[in-house]
Short mmCIF file of all heavy atoms in Angstrom, two decimals:
data_model
loop_
_atom_site.label_atom_id
_atom_site.label_comp_id
_atom_site.label_asym_id
_atom_site.label_seq_id
_atom_site.Cartn_x
_atom_site.Cartn_y
_atom_site.Cartn_z
N PHE A 12 4.92 31.58 -1.19
CA PHE A 12 6.05 32.48 -1.09
C PHE A 12 7.33 31.79 -0.65
O PHE A 12 8.39 32.32 -0.78
CB PHE A 12 5.74 33.65 -0.11
CG PHE A 12 5.72 33.20 1.33
CD1 PHE A 12 6.84 33.19 2.08
CD2 PHE A 12 4.51 32.80 1.87
CE1 PHE A 12 6.87 32.81 3.38
CE2 PHE A 12 4.49 32.43 3.24
CZ PHE A 12 5.66 32.40 3.99
N GLY A 15 9.26 28.79 -4.37
CA GLY A 15 9.69 28.89 -5.78
C GLY A 15 8.70 28.45 -6.76
O GLY A 15 8.98 27.56 -7.60
N THR A 43 14.70 25.23 -10.09
CA THR A 43 15.44 26.51 -10.32
C THR A 43 16.94 26.29 -10.50
O THR A 43 17.55 27.04 -11.17
CB THR A 43 15.18 27.47 -9.23
OG1 THR A 43 15.47 26.82 -7.96
CG2 THR A 43 13.76 27.88 -9.16
N PRO A 45 20.00 23.07 -11.10
CA PRO A 45 20.06 21.67 -11.53
C PRO A 45 20.68 20.78 -10.51
O PRO A 45 21.58 20.01 -10.79
CB PRO A 45 20.90 21.76 -12.83
CG PRO A 45 21.87 22.81 -12.49
CD PRO A 45 21.12 23.88 -11.68
N ILE A 46 20.23 20.90 -9.22
CA ILE A 46 20.87 20.13 -8.19
C ILE A 46 19.74 19.44 -7.37
O ILE A 46 18.59 19.76 -7.43
CB ILE A 46 21.74 20.97 -7.25
CG1 ILE A 46 20.88 21.95 -6.48
CG2 ILE A 46 22.82 21.70 -8.05
CD1 ILE A 46 21.76 22.89 -5.57
N ASP A 92 33.26 11.63 -5.72
CA ASP A 92 34.14 12.70 -6.14
C ASP A 92 34.01 12.97 -7.61
O ASP A 92 34.04 14.18 -8.12
CB ASP A 92 35.59 12.38 -5.86
CG ASP A 92 36.07 12.76 -4.47
OD1 ASP A 92 35.16 13.23 -3.68
OD2 ASP A 92 37.23 12.68 -4.14
N SER A 93 33.87 11.90 -8.42
CA SER A 93 33.88 12.13 -9.86
C SER A 93 32.60 12.83 -10.34
O SER A 93 32.53 13.34 -11.41
CB SER A 93 33.97 10.75 -10.58
OG SER A 93 32.68 10.05 -10.58
N GLY A 95 31.46 15.37 -8.48
CA GLY A 95 31.45 16.63 -7.78
C GLY A 95 30.50 16.69 -6.65
O GLY A 95 30.20 17.74 -6.12
N ARG A 141 40.49 1.96 11.06
CA ARG A 141 40.85 3.30 10.73
C ARG A 141 39.88 4.27 11.39
O ARG A 141 40.30 5.30 11.97
CB ARG A 141 40.82 3.49 9.14
CG ARG A 141 41.25 4.91 8.77
CD ARG A 141 41.41 5.01 7.24
NE ARG A 141 40.16 4.71 6.54
CZ ARG A 141 39.10 5.54 6.45
NH1 ARG A 141 39.19 6.73 6.98
NH2 ARG A 141 38.06 5.16 5.82
N ARG A 144 40.66 4.55 15.03
CA ARG A 144 41.82 5.44 15.30
C ARG A 144 41.40 6.89 15.19
O ARG A 144 41.79 7.75 16.06
CB ARG A 144 42.90 5.07 14.25
CG ARG A 144 44.28 5.24 14.62
CD ARG A 144 45.17 4.50 13.61
NE ARG A 144 44.86 4.86 12.23
CZ ARG A 144 44.85 3.97 11.23
NH1 ARG A 144 45.08 2.69 11.44
NH2 ARG A 144 44.56 4.35 10.00
N GLU A 145 40.65 7.20 14.14
CA GLU A 145 40.28 8.61 13.92
C GLU A 145 39.34 9.10 15.05
O GLU A 145 39.42 10.26 15.47
CB GLU A 145 39.64 8.80 12.53
CG GLU A 145 40.64 8.52 11.46
CD GLU A 145 39.99 8.67 10.04
OE1 GLU A 145 38.81 9.01 9.98
OE2 GLU A 145 40.73 8.43 9.06
N GLY A 148 41.25 9.83 18.05
CA GLY A 148 41.94 11.11 17.82
C GLY A 148 41.03 12.28 18.05
O GLY A 148 41.41 13.26 18.68
N THR A 151 40.48 12.74 21.78
CA THR A 151 41.61 13.36 22.41
C THR A 151 41.64 14.83 22.10
O THR A 151 41.88 15.64 22.92
CB THR A 151 42.90 12.70 21.81
OG1 THR A 151 42.88 11.31 22.04
CG2 THR A 151 44.15 13.31 22.50
N GLU A 155 40.88 18.76 24.72
CA GLU A 155 41.69 19.99 24.85
C GLU A 155 40.82 21.24 24.51
O GLU A 155 41.34 22.35 24.46
CB GLU A 155 42.95 19.94 23.98
CG GLU A 155 43.94 18.92 24.57
CD GLU A 155 44.95 18.44 23.60
OE1 GLU A 155 44.98 18.94 22.42
OE2 GLU A 155 45.84 17.63 24.00
N THR A 257 43.65 27.57 31.16
CA THR A 257 43.27 28.54 30.18
C THR A 257 43.10 29.87 30.94
O THR A 257 43.08 29.94 32.15
CB THR A 257 41.93 28.20 29.53
OG1 THR A 257 40.95 28.02 30.56
CG2 THR A 257 42.04 26.95 28.72
N THR A 258 42.95 30.98 30.13
CA THR A 258 42.65 32.27 30.77
C THR A 258 41.18 32.59 30.72
O THR A 258 40.72 33.40 31.48
CB THR A 258 43.45 33.36 30.08
OG1 THR A 258 43.08 33.40 28.74
CG2 THR A 258 44.97 33.18 30.25
N GLN A 259 40.49 31.94 29.82
CA GLN A 259 39.06 32.18 29.68
C GLN A 259 38.30 30.98 30.28
O GLN A 259 38.75 29.86 30.29
CB GLN A 259 38.62 32.26 28.23
CG GLN A 259 39.39 33.32 27.44
CD GLN A 259 38.51 34.38 26.84
OE1 GLN A 259 37.36 34.09 26.53
NE2 GLN A 259 38.98 35.56 26.72
N GLY A 290 19.42 36.93 17.60
CA GLY A 290 19.38 38.38 17.43
C GLY A 290 20.31 39.14 18.39
O GLY A 290 20.97 38.51 19.20
N PHE A 291 20.35 40.42 18.26
CA PHE A 291 21.26 41.20 19.00
C PHE A 291 20.60 41.76 20.28
O PHE A 291 21.21 42.43 21.08
CB PHE A 291 21.81 42.36 18.20
CG PHE A 291 22.76 41.94 17.13
CD1 PHE A 291 22.39 41.91 15.78
CD2 PHE A 291 24.06 41.49 17.48
CE1 PHE A 291 23.24 41.48 14.84
CE2 PHE A 291 24.89 41.08 16.48
CZ PHE A 291 24.53 41.08 15.18
N SER A 292 19.26 41.61 20.36
CA SER A 292 18.60 42.35 21.44
C SER A 292 17.95 41.41 22.47
O SER A 292 16.98 41.74 23.07
CB SER A 292 17.59 43.32 20.80
OG SER A 292 17.02 42.83 19.60
N ARG A 300 26.37 41.00 27.84
CA ARG A 300 27.38 41.47 26.89
C ARG A 300 27.44 42.99 26.79
O ARG A 300 28.46 43.61 27.08
CB ARG A 300 27.12 40.87 25.51
CG ARG A 300 28.13 41.29 24.52
CD ARG A 300 27.89 40.68 23.12
NE ARG A 300 28.60 41.49 22.16
CZ ARG A 300 28.43 41.34 20.84
NH1 ARG A 300 27.65 40.45 20.36
NH2 ARG A 300 29.10 42.16 20.00
N GLY A 304 29.42 44.08 29.78
CA GLY A 304 30.68 43.85 29.05
C GLY A 304 31.43 42.63 29.55
O GLY A 304 32.67 42.55 29.52
N TYR A 307 32.07 37.91 25.23
CA TYR A 307 32.06 38.25 23.80
C TYR A 307 30.81 37.68 23.18
O TYR A 307 30.20 38.28 22.31
CB TYR A 307 33.29 37.61 23.16
CG TYR A 307 33.37 37.83 21.71
CD1 TYR A 307 33.52 39.16 21.19
CD2 TYR A 307 33.25 36.77 20.80
CE1 TYR A 307 33.53 39.38 19.86
CE2 TYR A 307 33.33 37.02 19.45
CZ TYR A 307 33.45 38.28 18.95
OH TYR A 307 33.51 38.50 17.63
N ASP A 362 8.38 39.28 15.24
CA ASP A 362 8.84 39.82 13.94
C ASP A 362 10.11 39.12 13.48
O ASP A 362 10.27 38.81 12.30
CB ASP A 362 9.15 41.33 14.17
CG ASP A 362 7.90 42.16 14.34
OD1 ASP A 362 6.80 41.66 14.05
OD2 ASP A 362 8.06 43.30 14.84
N TYR A 363 11.02 38.85 14.41
CA TYR A 363 12.25 38.21 14.01
C TYR A 363 12.02 36.82 13.48
O TYR A 363 12.49 36.39 12.45
CB TYR A 363 13.22 38.16 15.20
CG TYR A 363 14.54 37.53 14.85
CD1 TYR A 363 15.60 38.29 14.33
CD2 TYR A 363 14.73 36.16 14.92
CE1 TYR A 363 16.76 37.73 13.94
CE2 TYR A 363 15.91 35.54 14.55
CZ TYR A 363 16.89 36.34 14.07
OH TYR A 363 18.10 35.76 13.65
N SER A 367 12.68 35.77 9.73
CA SER A 367 13.92 35.02 9.37
C SER A 367 13.59 33.59 8.92
O SER A 367 14.47 32.92 8.38
CB SER A 367 14.75 34.93 10.64
OG SER A 367 14.18 34.27 11.70
N LEU A 370 14.35 33.06 5.34
CA LEU A 370 15.80 33.26 5.13
C LEU A 370 16.63 32.08 5.55
O LEU A 370 17.71 31.84 5.10
CB LEU A 370 16.29 34.50 5.91
CG LEU A 370 15.78 35.85 5.34
CD1 LEU A 370 16.02 36.97 6.41
CD2 LEU A 370 16.44 36.22 4.05
N ASP A 373 17.01 28.99 2.49
CA ASP A 373 17.36 29.57 1.18
C ASP A 373 18.17 28.59 0.28
O ASP A 373 18.77 29.00 -0.67
CB ASP A 373 18.15 30.85 1.37
CG ASP A 373 19.50 30.61 2.02
OD1 ASP A 373 19.69 29.51 2.60
OD2 ASP A 373 20.35 31.48 1.95
N PHE B 12 21.75 26.96 -16.96
CA PHE B 12 21.63 25.88 -16.01
C PHE B 12 21.99 26.36 -14.61
O PHE B 12 21.70 25.70 -13.62
CB PHE B 12 22.48 24.64 -16.37
CG PHE B 12 23.94 24.90 -16.20
CD1 PHE B 12 24.60 24.62 -15.00
CD2 PHE B 12 24.73 25.35 -17.25
CE1 PHE B 12 25.95 24.80 -14.86
CE2 PHE B 12 26.08 25.57 -17.10
CZ PHE B 12 26.66 25.27 -15.90
N GLY B 15 18.51 29.56 -12.58
CA GLY B 15 17.14 29.60 -12.25
C GLY B 15 16.28 30.36 -13.30
O GLY B 15 15.58 31.31 -12.90
N THR B 43 12.73 33.19 -7.31
CA THR B 43 12.29 31.89 -6.77
C THR B 43 11.94 31.90 -5.32
O THR B 43 11.11 31.15 -4.87
CB THR B 43 13.29 30.80 -7.08
OG1 THR B 43 14.57 31.28 -6.55
CG2 THR B 43 13.42 30.60 -8.57
N PRO B 45 11.47 34.68 -1.82
CA PRO B 45 11.22 36.14 -1.59
C PRO B 45 12.31 36.77 -0.74
O PRO B 45 11.99 37.42 0.28
CB PRO B 45 9.87 36.15 -0.89
CG PRO B 45 9.93 34.91 -0.08
CD PRO B 45 10.63 33.88 -0.93
N ASP B 92 16.77 43.16 13.54
CA ASP B 92 16.10 42.09 14.19
C ASP B 92 14.61 42.02 13.90
O ASP B 92 14.04 40.99 13.69
CB ASP B 92 16.34 42.15 15.73
CG ASP B 92 17.59 41.44 16.18
OD1 ASP B 92 18.35 41.00 15.34
OD2 ASP B 92 17.79 41.33 17.42
N SER B 93 14.01 43.21 13.84
CA SER B 93 12.56 43.30 13.71
C SER B 93 12.17 42.80 12.25
O SER B 93 11.01 42.47 11.99
CB SER B 93 12.04 44.66 13.89
OG SER B 93 12.35 45.54 12.79
N GLY B 95 13.82 40.23 10.92
CA GLY B 95 14.30 38.89 10.80
C GLY B 95 15.56 38.75 9.92
O GLY B 95 15.92 37.67 9.56
N ARG B 141 33.78 48.95 23.77
CA ARG B 141 33.21 47.61 23.87
C ARG B 141 33.84 46.71 22.81
O ARG B 141 34.25 45.57 23.12
CB ARG B 141 31.72 47.69 23.65
CG ARG B 141 30.97 46.31 23.85
CD ARG B 141 29.52 46.42 23.84
NE ARG B 141 29.02 47.07 22.55
CZ ARG B 141 28.89 46.35 21.40
NH1 ARG B 141 29.25 45.09 21.31
NH2 ARG B 141 28.47 46.99 20.32
N ARG B 144 37.33 45.74 23.90
CA ARG B 144 37.35 44.68 24.93
C ARG B 144 37.02 43.34 24.28
O ARG B 144 37.67 42.34 24.63
CB ARG B 144 36.22 45.06 25.92
CG ARG B 144 36.38 44.61 27.32
CD ARG B 144 35.38 45.36 28.21
NE ARG B 144 34.01 45.29 27.75
CZ ARG B 144 33.16 46.29 27.75
NH1 ARG B 144 33.51 47.51 28.22
NH2 ARG B 144 31.92 46.15 27.23
N GLU B 145 36.08 43.31 23.40
CA GLU B 145 35.73 42.02 22.77
C GLU B 145 36.82 41.50 21.88
O GLU B 145 37.07 40.29 21.80
CB GLU B 145 34.40 42.17 21.98
CG GLU B 145 33.23 42.44 22.88
CD GLU B 145 31.87 42.59 22.15
OE1 GLU B 145 31.88 42.47 20.89
OE2 GLU B 145 30.92 42.88 22.80
N GLY B 148 39.43 40.03 23.97
CA GLY B 148 38.95 38.70 24.45
C GLY B 148 39.15 37.67 23.36
O GLY B 148 39.52 36.53 23.61
N THR B 151 42.77 36.72 23.08
CA THR B 151 43.15 35.82 24.20
C THR B 151 42.68 34.42 23.98
O THR B 151 43.37 33.47 24.16
CB THR B 151 42.54 36.35 25.52
OG1 THR B 151 43.00 37.73 25.70
CG2 THR B 151 42.99 35.52 26.69
N GLU B 155 44.78 30.27 22.88
CA GLU B 155 44.65 28.91 23.48
C GLU B 155 44.26 27.87 22.39
O GLU B 155 43.98 26.79 22.74
CB GLU B 155 43.64 28.97 24.58
CG GLU B 155 44.26 29.73 25.81
CD GLU B 155 43.23 30.16 26.80
OE1 GLU B 155 42.07 29.91 26.62
OE2 GLU B 155 43.66 30.81 27.83
N THR B 257 49.57 20.28 24.83
CA THR B 257 48.51 19.50 24.18
C THR B 257 49.08 18.09 23.86
O THR B 257 50.26 17.85 23.94
CB THR B 257 48.07 20.17 22.89
OG1 THR B 257 49.22 20.29 22.02
CG2 THR B 257 47.42 21.54 23.08
N THR B 258 48.20 17.19 23.47
CA THR B 258 48.69 15.88 23.08
C THR B 258 48.74 15.79 21.49
O THR B 258 49.40 14.90 21.04
CB THR B 258 47.71 14.79 23.59
OG1 THR B 258 46.44 14.99 23.10
CG2 THR B 258 47.74 14.73 25.14
N GLN B 259 48.01 16.66 20.86
CA GLN B 259 48.01 16.66 19.43
C GLN B 259 48.87 17.80 18.92
O GLN B 259 49.00 18.88 19.52
CB GLN B 259 46.62 16.86 18.87
CG GLN B 259 45.61 15.81 19.34
CD GLN B 259 44.97 15.03 18.25
OE1 GLN B 259 44.87 15.49 17.11
NE2 GLN B 259 44.59 13.80 18.53
N GLY B 290 37.84 16.69 -1.77
CA GLY B 290 37.41 15.36 -2.05
C GLY B 290 38.15 14.31 -1.18
O GLY B 290 38.96 14.73 -0.38
N PHE B 291 37.84 13.13 -1.33
CA PHE B 291 38.38 12.05 -0.51
C PHE B 291 39.55 11.36 -1.14
O PHE B 291 40.22 10.58 -0.52
CB PHE B 291 37.30 10.96 -0.22
CG PHE B 291 36.24 11.44 0.69
CD1 PHE B 291 35.00 11.74 0.17
CD2 PHE B 291 36.47 11.60 2.01
CE1 PHE B 291 33.94 12.19 1.03
CE2 PHE B 291 35.51 12.09 2.87
CZ PHE B 291 34.21 12.36 2.35
N SER B 292 39.88 11.74 -2.41
CA SER B 292 40.90 10.92 -3.08
C SER B 292 42.10 11.78 -3.48
O SER B 292 42.77 11.47 -4.41
CB SER B 292 40.23 10.24 -4.27
OG SER B 292 39.24 11.02 -4.90
N ARG B 300 46.45 10.11 5.35
CA ARG B 300 45.36 9.66 6.18
C ARG B 300 45.03 8.19 5.99
O ARG B 300 45.10 7.38 6.95
CB ARG B 300 44.09 10.52 5.91
CG ARG B 300 42.92 10.16 6.75
CD ARG B 300 41.70 10.95 6.50
NE ARG B 300 40.55 10.25 6.96
CZ ARG B 300 39.28 10.57 6.73
NH1 ARG B 300 39.03 11.64 6.03
NH2 ARG B 300 38.26 9.84 7.16
N GLY B 304 47.56 6.37 8.07
CA GLY B 304 46.73 6.54 9.28
C GLY B 304 47.31 7.56 10.27
O GLY B 304 47.13 7.40 11.46
N TYR B 307 43.68 12.77 11.20
CA TYR B 307 42.24 12.70 11.01
C TYR B 307 41.80 13.49 9.79
O TYR B 307 40.95 13.09 9.07
CB TYR B 307 41.53 13.21 12.27
CG TYR B 307 40.04 13.18 12.15
CD1 TYR B 307 39.35 11.97 12.08
CD2 TYR B 307 39.36 14.37 12.12
CE1 TYR B 307 37.97 11.99 11.96
CE2 TYR B 307 37.93 14.36 11.99
CZ TYR B 307 37.30 13.12 11.92
OH TYR B 307 35.90 13.12 11.83
N ASP B 362 36.44 16.41 -13.25
CA ASP B 362 35.07 15.95 -12.97
C ASP B 362 34.55 16.56 -11.70
O ASP B 362 33.43 17.00 -11.59
CB ASP B 362 35.03 14.41 -12.92
CG ASP B 362 35.23 13.74 -14.25
OD1 ASP B 362 35.14 14.41 -15.29
OD2 ASP B 362 35.53 12.54 -14.28
N TYR B 363 35.41 16.52 -10.70
CA TYR B 363 34.93 17.03 -9.39
C TYR B 363 34.66 18.54 -9.47
O TYR B 363 33.63 18.99 -9.01
CB TYR B 363 36.03 16.77 -8.30
CG TYR B 363 35.58 17.26 -7.02
CD1 TYR B 363 34.85 16.43 -6.14
CD2 TYR B 363 35.83 18.54 -6.55
CE1 TYR B 363 34.37 16.89 -4.87
CE2 TYR B 363 35.40 19.01 -5.30
CZ TYR B 363 34.64 18.21 -4.49
OH TYR B 363 34.24 18.71 -3.30
N SER B 367 31.03 20.06 -9.01
CA SER B 367 30.70 20.69 -7.72
C SER B 367 30.43 22.18 -7.84
O SER B 367 29.91 22.78 -6.92
CB SER B 367 31.81 20.40 -6.69
OG SER B 367 32.97 21.04 -7.09
N LEU B 370 26.92 23.16 -7.32
CA LEU B 370 26.50 22.80 -5.94
C LEU B 370 26.95 23.75 -4.95
O LEU B 370 26.41 23.92 -3.88
CB LEU B 370 27.02 21.42 -5.62
CG LEU B 370 26.35 20.21 -6.36
CD1 LEU B 370 27.15 18.95 -6.21
CD2 LEU B 370 24.97 19.99 -5.89
N ASP B 373 24.31 27.24 -4.36
CA ASP B 373 22.92 26.84 -4.21
C ASP B 373 22.13 27.75 -3.34
O ASP B 373 21.03 27.42 -2.91
CB ASP B 373 22.87 25.41 -3.64
CG ASP B 373 23.37 25.34 -2.21
OD1 ASP B 373 24.07 26.26 -1.80
OD2 ASP B 373 23.07 24.38 -1.52
#
Side-chain angles (χ1 to χ4, degrees):
Chain A
F12 72 88
T43 52
I46 66 181
D92 270 7
S93 77
R141 184 171 60 77
R144 210 164 52 221
E145 293 179 3
T151 304
E155 289 162 1
T257 56
T258 58
Q259 303 239 333
F291 290 106
S292 32
R300 181 180 158 190
Y307 178 65
D362 289 344
Y363 181 89
S367 64
L370 290 166
D373 68 342
Chain B
F12 72 88
T43 52
D92 271 7
S93 76
R141 185 171 59 78
R144 210 165 49 221
E145 293 179 3
T151 304
E155 289 162 1
T257 56
T258 58
Q259 304 239 333
F291 290 105
S292 33
R300 180 180 158 189
Y307 178 66
D362 290 344
Y363 181 89
S367 63
L370 291 167
D373 68 341

